[in-house]
Amino acid sequence: MMDTKYYWTEENNGEVTVGLTEAGKNELGNITFVSLPKVGAQLTTSDTLLNVEADKAVSDIPSPVAGKVTAVNSNAVNDPSVLNGTDKATSWIAKIKK
């Protein structure tokens, strides 16, 4: 299980955008496959936010916040390598409304 230091979160009007920090990306290695939650799904902090396959690990990563998924990064499904990037505008995982 990954520690919360592996996430970055940005909250805007109760909606939290979640992505992987450099530490998280370093722990996983190059991301080659992701499975994201469905928009509309209700998550708790014990629910899986992201299933990821990478060079160094295959992990189910729990959600850092509880709430309703309002958006997922569909580009990451088609090209998981976008999650390896440093630009938060393109490397985010999901948006969750608290």
Side-chain angles (χ1 to χ4, degrees):
M1 181 181 298
M2 292 181 71
D3 193 288
T4 53
K5 70 181 177 184
Y6 295 120
Y7 292 111
W8 58 261
T9 58
E10 290 183 352
E11 186 169 346
N12 187 10
N13 294 325
E15 183 176 68
V16 180
T17 302
V18 181
L20 293 172
T21 62
E22 283 303 307
K25 289 181 246 185
N26 289 339
E27 179 94 358
L28 291 166
N30 188 46
I31 297 169
T32 56
F33 172 83
V34 293
S35 177
L36 301 175
K38 294 194 180 329
V39 172
Q42 288 285 346
L43 297 177
T44 68
T45 53
S46 61
D47 289 332
T48 298
L49 172 68
L50 174 71
N51 175 275
V52 63
E53 293 178 16
D55 291 344
K56 298 179 186 175
V58 175
S59 299
D60 288 331
I61 300 171
S63 180
V65 293
K68 182 179 182 178
V69 178
T70 57
V72 295
N73 186 346
S74 58
N75 291 333
V77 175
N78 298 325
D79 180 10
S81 69
V82 301
L83 297 181
N84 298 316
T86 56
D87 184 355
K88 290 181 179 181
T90 57
S91 67
W92 60 281
I93 298 166
K95 297 179 188 285
I96 302 167
K97 186 80 168 172
K98 294 180 14 180

